[in-house]
PDB file of all heavy atoms in Angstrom:
ATOM      1  N   GLY J 106      -4.757 -37.748 133.700  1.00 82.00           N
ATOM      2  CA  GLY J 106      -4.222 -38.013 135.033  1.00 82.00           C
ATOM      3  C   GLY J 106      -4.504 -39.398 135.552  1.00 82.00           C
ATOM      4  O   GLY J 106      -3.659 -40.074 136.042  1.00 82.00           O
ATOM      5  N   LEU J 107      -5.743 -39.855 135.369  1.00 84.00           N
ATOM      6  CA  LEU J 107      -6.120 -41.188 135.774  1.00 84.00           C
ATOM      7  C   LEU J 107      -5.357 -42.252 134.969  1.00 84.00           C
ATOM      8  O   LEU J 107      -4.895 -43.275 135.518  1.00 84.00           O
ATOM      9  CB  LEU J 107      -7.626 -41.416 135.608  1.00 84.00           C
ATOM     10  CG  LEU J 107      -8.497 -40.615 136.572  1.00 84.00           C
ATOM     11  CD1 LEU J 107      -9.975 -40.782 136.136  1.00 84.00           C
ATOM     12  CD2 LEU J 107      -8.357 -41.132 137.985  1.00 84.00           C
ATOM     13  N   GLY J 108      -5.242 -42.010 133.683  1.00 79.00           N
ATOM     14  CA  GLY J 108      -4.498 -42.962 132.837  1.00 79.00           C
ATOM     15  C   GLY J 108      -2.992 -43.122 133.256  1.00 79.00           C
ATOM     16  O   GLY J 108      -2.471 -44.210 133.287  1.00 79.00           O
ATOM     17  N   VAL J 109      -2.409 -41.993 133.636  1.00 79.00           N
ATOM     18  CA  VAL J 109      -1.005 -42.049 134.074  1.00 79.00           C
ATOM     19  C   VAL J 109      -0.892 -42.818 135.393  1.00 79.00           C
ATOM     20  O   VAL J 109       0.045 -43.598 135.571  1.00 79.00           O
ATOM     21  CB  VAL J 109      -0.438 -40.620 134.213  1.00 79.00           C
ATOM     22  CG1 VAL J 109       0.968 -40.632 134.820  1.00 79.00           C
ATOM     23  CG2 VAL J 109      -0.416 -39.912 132.860  1.00 79.00           C
ATOM     24  N   ILE J 110      -1.808 -42.590 136.334  1.00 86.00           N
ATOM     25  CA  ILE J 110      -1.742 -43.287 137.581  1.00 86.00           C
ATOM     26  C   ILE J 110      -1.953 -44.799 137.367  1.00 86.00           C
ATOM     27  O   ILE J 110      -1.216 -45.610 137.926  1.00 86.00           O
ATOM     28  CB  ILE J 110      -2.860 -42.754 138.533  1.00 86.00           C
ATOM     29  CG1 ILE J 110      -2.554 -41.293 138.952  1.00 86.00           C
ATOM     30  CG2 ILE J 110      -2.950 -43.642 139.828  1.00 86.00           C
ATOM     31  CD1 ILE J 110      -3.661 -40.681 139.740  1.00 86.00           C
ATOM     32  N   LEU J 111      -2.904 -45.135 136.511  1.00 84.00           N
ATOM     33  CA  LEU J 111      -3.182 -46.538 136.202  1.00 84.00           C
ATOM     34  C   LEU J 111      -1.880 -47.227 135.690  1.00 84.00           C
ATOM     35  O   LEU J 111      -1.505 -48.299 136.172  1.00 84.00           O
ATOM     36  CB  LEU J 111      -4.253 -46.657 135.155  1.00 84.00           C
ATOM     37  CG  LEU J 111      -4.848 -48.015 134.721  1.00 84.00           C
ATOM     38  CD1 LEU J 111      -6.213 -47.819 134.083  1.00 84.00           C
ATOM     39  CD2 LEU J 111      -3.946 -48.780 133.803  1.00 84.00           C
ATOM     40  N   GLY J 112      -1.229 -46.585 134.711  1.00 78.00           N
ATOM     41  CA  GLY J 112      -0.066 -47.196 134.121  1.00 78.00           C
ATOM     42  C   GLY J 112       1.085 -47.300 135.090  1.00 78.00           C
ATOM     43  O   GLY J 112       1.818 -48.282 135.112  1.00 78.00           O
ATOM     44  N   LYS J 113       1.243 -46.288 135.969  1.00 82.00           N
ATOM     45  CA  LYS J 113       2.311 -46.318 136.954  1.00 82.00           C
ATOM     46  C   LYS J 113       2.134 -47.433 137.949  1.00 82.00           C
ATOM     47  O   LYS J 113       3.091 -48.103 138.356  1.00 82.00           O
ATOM     48  CB  LYS J 113       2.376 -44.977 137.655  1.00 82.00           C
ATOM     49  CG  LYS J 113       3.625 -44.747 138.525  1.00 82.00           C
ATOM     50  CD  LYS J 113       4.833 -44.427 137.712  1.00 82.00           C
ATOM     51  CE  LYS J 113       5.947 -43.808 138.449  1.00 82.00           C
ATOM     52  NZ  LYS J 113       6.484 -44.651 139.560  1.00 82.00           N
ATOM     53  N   LEU J 114       0.889 -47.657 138.413  1.00 88.00           N
ATOM     54  CA  LEU J 114       0.670 -48.710 139.392  1.00 88.00           C
ATOM     55  C   LEU J 114       0.914 -50.089 138.730  1.00 88.00           C
ATOM     56  O   LEU J 114       1.512 -50.947 139.431  1.00 88.00           O
ATOM     57  CB  LEU J 114      -0.827 -48.681 139.819  1.00 88.00           C
ATOM     58  CG  LEU J 114      -1.178 -47.533 140.786  1.00 88.00           C
ATOM     59  CD1 LEU J 114      -2.702 -47.372 140.930  1.00 88.00           C
ATOM     60  CD2 LEU J 114      -0.536 -47.742 142.174  1.00 88.00           C
ATOM     61  N   ILE J 115       0.504 -50.272 137.522  1.00 82.00           N
ATOM     62  CA  ILE J 115       0.713 -51.573 136.848  1.00 82.00           C
ATOM     63  C   ILE J 115       2.212 -51.789 136.647  1.00 82.00           C
ATOM     64  O   ILE J 115       2.757 -52.865 136.744  1.00 82.00           O
ATOM     65  CB  ILE J 115      -0.015 -51.622 135.501  1.00 82.00           C
ATOM     66  CG1 ILE J 115      -1.548 -51.603 135.778  1.00 82.00           C
ATOM     67  CG2 ILE J 115       0.349 -52.898 134.748  1.00 82.00           C
ATOM     68  CD1 ILE J 115      -2.010 -52.787 136.644  1.00 82.00           C
ATOM     69  N   SER J 116       2.935 -50.666 136.307  1.00 79.00           N
ATOM     70  CA  SER J 116       4.398 -50.774 136.076  1.00 79.00           C
ATOM     71  C   SER J 116       5.120 -51.043 137.376  1.00 79.00           C
ATOM     72  O   SER J 116       5.960 -51.961 137.439  1.00 79.00           O
ATOM     73  CB  SER J 116       4.883 -49.466 135.438  1.00 79.00           C
ATOM     74  OG  SER J 116       6.318 -49.473 135.372  1.00 79.00           O
TER      75      SER J 116
END
Side-chain angles (χ1 to χ4, degrees):
L107 291 171
V109 174
I110 294 173
L111 187 161
K113 191 77 165 58
L114 287 168
I115 295 301
S116 172

